[in-house]
């Protein structure tokens, strides 16, 4: 039979253990997402504005930084940073599940279109029309890579450092075609005189863009998705997106 002092010591240890295991979780005050595209480009800048407002409504400061696409994924999936600014809806499928720690914030950010650009008058009805040409696209776009590899011989494919690099190679005649996000490509043509010999041939297909958050913030992912849906309903989302060539669906 235990003596009273042992019982008191045992009870004290239980109280301490209970206290340690039931400490209130520390509220998230700030999150930092990373992007594989420069933040001053149209698409990332819109998504930053959407998320800034959504997190603000939940009492959280939002920040965004830019790193090359693969390094961006390394930082967000490892938890060094809190999330990924923009990836496609089926991100885990196109990356073969390599980044399981990232979970989708279940409210669509934008719908964007890929497009074919060239300095030549190219007929485009299907990907088969492009097999004879050399094509460039910016690295880090796994969904686009999967499509191009299905239809183009590998010796005809050039992976550029970024979209500007792809357009520069196209303008200089090193490739025949560049595939880029339609709005981004159009902005490059309008802003940079060096690309005046390039035209948009055809828009290809829509791509649904979502943000992803590290699973350490799993509960927060639900709150932010709900908040973005509220923003779509109260008109603040549409105000942020403005007159850009983007669309979205109201669920």
């Amino acid at each position: 039979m235990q003596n009273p002092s042992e019982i008191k010591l045992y009870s004290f240890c239980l109280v301490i253990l209970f206290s340690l295991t039931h400490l209130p979780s520390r509220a998230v005050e700030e999150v930092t997402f990373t992007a594989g595209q420069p933040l001053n480009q149209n698409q990332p800048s819109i998504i930053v504005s959407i998320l800034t407002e959504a997190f603000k409504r939940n009492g959280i400061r939002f920040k965004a930084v830019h790193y090359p696409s693969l390094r961006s994924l390394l930082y967000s999936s490892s938890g060094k940073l809190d999330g990924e600014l923009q990836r496609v809806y089926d991100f885990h499928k196109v990356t073969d599940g390599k980044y399981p720690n990232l979970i989708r914030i279940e409210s669509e950010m934008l719908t964007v279109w890929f497009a074919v650009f060239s300095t030549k008058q190219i007929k485009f009805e299907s990907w088969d029309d492009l097999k004879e040409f050399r094509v460039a696209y910016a690295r880090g776009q796994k969904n686009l890579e999967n499509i191009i590899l299905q239809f183009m011989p590998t010796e005809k494919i050039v992976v550029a450092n970024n979209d500007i690099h792809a357009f520069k190679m196209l303008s200089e005649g090193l490739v025949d075609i560049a595939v880029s996000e339609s709005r981004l490509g159009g902005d490059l043509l309008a802003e940079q005189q060096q690309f005046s010999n390039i035209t948009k041939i055809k828009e290809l297909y829509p791509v649904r863009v979502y943000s992803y958050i590290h699973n350490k913030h799993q509960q927060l992912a639900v709150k932010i998705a709900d908040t973005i849906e509220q923003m779509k309903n109260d008109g603040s989302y549409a105000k942020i997106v403005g007159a850009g060539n983007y669309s979205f669906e109201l669920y």
Side-chain angles (χ1 to χ4, degrees):
M1 184 174 180
Q2 292 179 312
N3 61 47
S5 61
E6 290 177 332
I7 293 174
K8 288 181 180 180
L9 178 61
Y10 179 74
S11 299
F12 176 76
C13 291
L14 284 179
V15 170
I16 295 297
L17 180 61
F18 180 85
S19 300
L20 290 175
T21 56
H22 291 78
L23 287 173
S25 57
R26 186 175 178 181
V28 178
E29 297 179 353
E30 180 178 280
V31 296
T32 302
F33 278 34
T34 175
Q37 289 184 355
L39 299 178
N40 61 353
Q41 291 182 355
N42 195 265
Q43 183 189 143
S45 67
I46 289 174
I47 296 176
V48 166
S49 296
I50 294 169
L51 289 177
T52 297
E53 176 63 19
F55 278 97
K56 180 181 178 181
R57 292 188 183 191
N58 286 275
I60 300 170
R61 291 187 299 273
F62 177 81
K63 293 174 60 179
V65 294
H66 161 61
Y67 290 101
S69 184
L70 294 180
R71 193 186 310 170
S72 176
L73 282 171
L74 175 63
Y75 289 161
S76 59
S77 64
S78 67
K80 180 176 181 178
L81 296 176
D82 298 293
E84 191 74 21
L85 192 69
Q86 56 191 113
R87 294 290 168 178
V88 295
Y89 174 81
D90 54 350
F91 164 72
H92 289 299
K93 179 179 179 181
V94 300
T95 58
D96 297 322
K98 291 180 181 178
Y99 307 98
N101 290 333
L102 292 174
I103 57 178
R104 190 170 55 231
I105 296 176
E106 295 291 356
S107 182
E108 182 179 318
M109 290 292 173
L110 297 168
T111 298
V112 302
W113 292 76
F114 280 115
V116 171
F117 296 82
S118 184
T119 57
K120 303 177 179 180
Q121 293 300 315
I122 293 175
K123 176 185 176 182
F124 185 100
E125 297 298 335
S126 71
W127 284 98
D128 287 334
D129 297 329
L130 304 184
K131 286 184 176 180
E132 62 182 281
F133 300 109
R134 294 164 296 169
V135 60
Y137 70 96
R139 73 173 70 254
Q141 302 179 88
K142 192 68 177 179
N143 58 325
L144 180 58
E145 175 186 314
N146 288 344
I147 293 171
I148 290 176
L149 287 173
Q150 287 181 47
F151 298 99
M152 305 287 294
T154 54
E155 64 271 15
K156 295 284 188 178
I157 300 172
V158 179
V159 181
N161 295 330
N162 49 48
D163 290 276
I164 293 177
H165 183 209
F167 273 59
K168 186 174 181 180
M169 288 193 292
L170 174 59
S171 180
E172 295 175 354
L174 300 177
V175 296
D176 305 300
I177 291 167
V179 182
S180 176
E181 190 263 302
S182 181
R183 174 64 183 270
L184 171 60
D187 287 347
L188 289 177
L189 299 189
E191 295 167 0
Q192 303 206 27
Q193 183 62 31
Q194 62 175 318
F195 300 145
S196 60
N197 60 335
I198 298 174
T199 57
K200 184 188 297 184
I201 302 299
K202 185 174 182 177
E203 287 190 332
L204 298 177
Y205 61 93
V207 177
R208 300 168 65 193
V209 178
Y210 286 73
S211 294
Y212 286 73
I213 194 168
H214 193 275
N215 59 17
K216 65 184 177 182
H217 300 304
Q218 188 167 3
Q219 293 182 343
L220 188 55
V222 177
K223 291 183 179 180
I224 297 302
D226 289 343
T227 302
I228 295 172
E229 291 300 303
Q230 294 169 12
M231 291 168 60
K232 290 177 179 178
N233 290 327
D234 66 24
S236 54
Y237 172 93
K239 186 176 180 180
I240 291 172
V241 175
N245 294 330
Y246 297 104
S247 61
F248 66 96
E249 298 176 4
L250 291 177
Y251 299 102

